[in-house]
Amino acid sequence: MDRRQFLGGTIGTSLAIGGLLRLSTTNAAPKSQIQEEYSVISFTDGDIAVNNHLSSLARLYRTFDAQPTNLVISGAIINGELVNSQFLGDYSSLDRLSNLSEKVLLNNSKSATAYIQAAQISGSMHLFDVCKEYLRRSKLLNGNLNEIQQVQMSVLQATARDQQEVLIFREERAQASESPEESIPYAALLADMGQIEKANSIYLQALNYRHKNPSPFIPAWICFQLGMLWGEIAKPSNKDLASSWYAKAISYMPKYTKARLHQAEIYMASGKNDLALKILQPALGSTDPEVSWRISEIYAAKNQPKFSAQYLQLAKTLFTSLLDRYPLAFADHAVEFYVGSGNNPSKAYELALLNYQNRPTGRAANLLQNTKKHL
């Protein structure tokens, strides 16, 4: 089943919550003119960048263990772990973030910044009510209003509430800074509102942003969003264009699990199962259950039931583990699995209902309606 047909579009919460991810663009000079073709800029090798990132994150944890009241360090750790989940498909990052939130609040109970950081973490797990409560406490402690608003807008965008207010906020921030970390959530919102060409233009502008010390995470992220834009949001879709953008994302960041998944799905839809398998196998080291799920489907299509069953069981195990710990964060992703290969329509409906109750968006309503048909 086509992913967009089932989910009613998949820009989803993850892109809005992407507003919580602050990839540094320090020492950068923006290129003012929008180009139809993006410039080729030399970026750090993706695998080297990942290794450097993980080493830096390990050092940050050691520093925080010695300085548990250092909220600059904890803030950097939050960004680092969001990178792990967003790009590497490492969902154990949520366990570490949950533990970090407890430590930050325990050691900084009178700090407004601590509550903002706890709100960021709860928001990344789709615990929106908890997130809003932490922001309320931060306000009572005279927290930084700009930082509070940044998290608030991400939650509003994720839940499709007060979209005009969010649009104004995103546009003002994007125009003021011209940096990718502000323009990407703005373009994502425009795409969600059906302004495809404008979103495309802003993504391309972000891709042309000039960096003195460029990180491949940023262009990989933008290329992935462009793939989503043309492969799953635009009507009609342009799968060939989407595939080219996913390929560029992977070239920047070979360990980009989500990009590999979406590229594989395009290959599978056109019967190119060998290519799909080849693109997915390097992502098996992640903890994203969709990788083993799609590999199971590939082996089923290749009439290799033994291998298909093995990977299907792995997908079930990973989905169960994630849903036990973070049901709201993975409910929408799991619905399609349980309707299809997971063969549990009632569980799919329960998850779709849970997702809708947490964020009653039009997309969540479509998901619930489509799932009900399979009961």
Side-chain angles (χ1 to χ4, degrees):
M1 178 180 294
D2 178 78
R3 177 189 288 266
R4 187 178 66 182
Q5 178 184 356
F6 185 79
L7 296 178
T10 58
I11 187 170
T13 301
S14 61
L15 301 192
I17 291 300
L20 298 178
L21 180 59
R22 316 302 291 174
L23 294 177
S24 176
T25 54
T26 304
N27 297 325
K31 185 175 182 181
S32 60
Q33 184 177 4
I34 300 176
Q35 296 184 357
E36 293 302 316
E37 297 293 334
Y38 74 99
S39 300
V40 178
I41 305 172
S42 178
F43 289 90
T44 304
D45 175 82
D47 287 334
I48 292 175
V50 168
N51 290 337
N52 290 342
H53 160 72
L54 294 175
S55 295
S56 175
L57 186 57
R59 289 194 298 271
L60 287 170
Y61 269 110
R62 289 194 295 270
T63 302
F64 184 73
D65 286 342
Q67 304 173 27
T69 59
N70 190 332
L71 297 179
V72 173
I73 297 298
S74 57
I77 290 174
I78 292 171
N79 274 332
E81 293 292 11
L82 290 177
V83 165
N84 285 348
S85 61
Q86 173 75 18
F87 292 95
L88 308 182
D90 177 12
Y91 295 132
S92 64
S93 61
L94 299 182
D95 297 328
R96 294 187 293 273
L97 283 172
S98 182
N99 291 333
L100 179 66
S101 181
E102 292 180 7
K103 291 179 180 178
V104 164
L105 292 177
L106 178 64
N107 293 290
N108 306 274
S109 60
K110 302 298 182 180
S111 168
T113 299
Y115 283 105
I116 293 174
Q117 291 184 358
Q120 286 180 282
I121 291 171
S122 57
S124 72
M125 300 173 183
H126 299 190
L127 299 170
F128 301 126
D129 289 340
V130 176
C131 176
K132 287 184 281 190
E133 173 60 21
Y134 284 144
L135 292 178
R136 185 189 70 81
R137 295 185 187 184
S138 180
K139 285 182 181 179
L140 291 176
L141 293 169
N142 298 315
N144 184 296
L145 294 180
N146 286 332
E147 294 179 2
I148 291 172
Q149 187 180 35
Q150 178 71 37
V151 181
Q152 284 177 326
M153 291 299 115
S154 292
V155 172
L156 289 175
Q157 188 168 342
T159 55
R161 299 182 187 276
D162 300 327
Q163 292 298 275
Q164 193 58 39
E165 179 185 353
V166 178
L167 180 62
I168 293 171
F169 172 81
R170 293 292 187 211
E171 184 175 25
E172 289 177 348
R173 294 290 290 260
Q175 291 177 350
S177 74
E178 298 185 352
S179 68
E181 67 175 3
E182 299 294 353
S183 58
I184 292 172
Y186 175 44
L189 178 59
L190 290 171
D192 211 17
M193 299 173 74
Q195 298 186 42
I196 304 301
E197 293 296 340
K198 187 172 183 180
N200 181 71
S201 179
I202 292 171
Y203 281 137
L204 290 176
Q205 184 182 27
L207 202 53
N208 275 306
Y209 195 80
R210 295 292 185 180
H211 304 267
K212 291 183 180 179
N213 297 300
S215 161
F217 288 103
I218 295 174
W221 191 15
I222 298 168
C223 290
F224 176 77
Q225 304 290 26
L226 282 161
M228 288 282 290
L229 182 71
W230 293 110
E232 307 206 15
I233 302 169
K235 298 179 182 179
S237 64
N238 186 331
K239 297 297 186 181
D240 289 339
L241 181 57
S243 180
S244 71
W245 283 119
Y246 291 138
K248 290 182 177 70
I250 295 166
S251 70
Y252 282 122
M253 187 61 53
K255 290 185 172 65
Y256 202 157
T257 299
K258 288 183 180 180
R260 287 185 175 276
L261 275 164
H262 286 265
Q263 182 74 295
E265 287 172 0
I266 291 177
Y267 287 151
M268 291 167 66
S270 58
K272 300 176 181 177
N273 288 315
D274 288 337
L275 281 176
L277 184 60
K278 183 178 180 180
I279 206 75
L280 283 176
Q281 284 175 329
L284 274 170
S286 76
T287 54
D288 191 325
E290 288 198 47
V291 176
S292 49
W293 166 25
R294 296 306 181 190
I295 290 178
S296 171
E297 290 184 328
I298 291 169
Y299 278 122
K302 291 164 68 70
N303 196 29
Q304 298 185 41
K306 180 179 178 180
F307 290 123
S308 177
Q310 290 174 351
Y311 283 103
L312 180 60
Q313 183 56 50
L314 176 59
K316 287 181 178 179
T317 300
L318 290 172
F319 267 121
T320 298
S321 176
L322 290 172
L323 289 169
D324 284 346
R325 292 175 291 154
Y326 309 104
L328 294 175
F330 293 95
D332 54 346
H333 296 278
V335 168
E336 187 185 355
F337 172 73
Y338 286 110
V339 162
S341 302
N343 193 29
N344 194 335
S346 60
K347 186 175 183 66
Y349 180 75
E350 291 174 4
L351 291 169
L353 181 61
L354 177 69
N355 180 60
Y356 178 75
Q357 290 170 338
N358 189 46
R359 50 188 187 103
T361 65
R363 187 171 299 103
N366 288 337
L367 179 62
L368 181 61
Q369 182 179 6
N370 289 330
T371 305
K372 190 181 294 186
K373 296 175 184 178
H374 293 270
L375 289 175

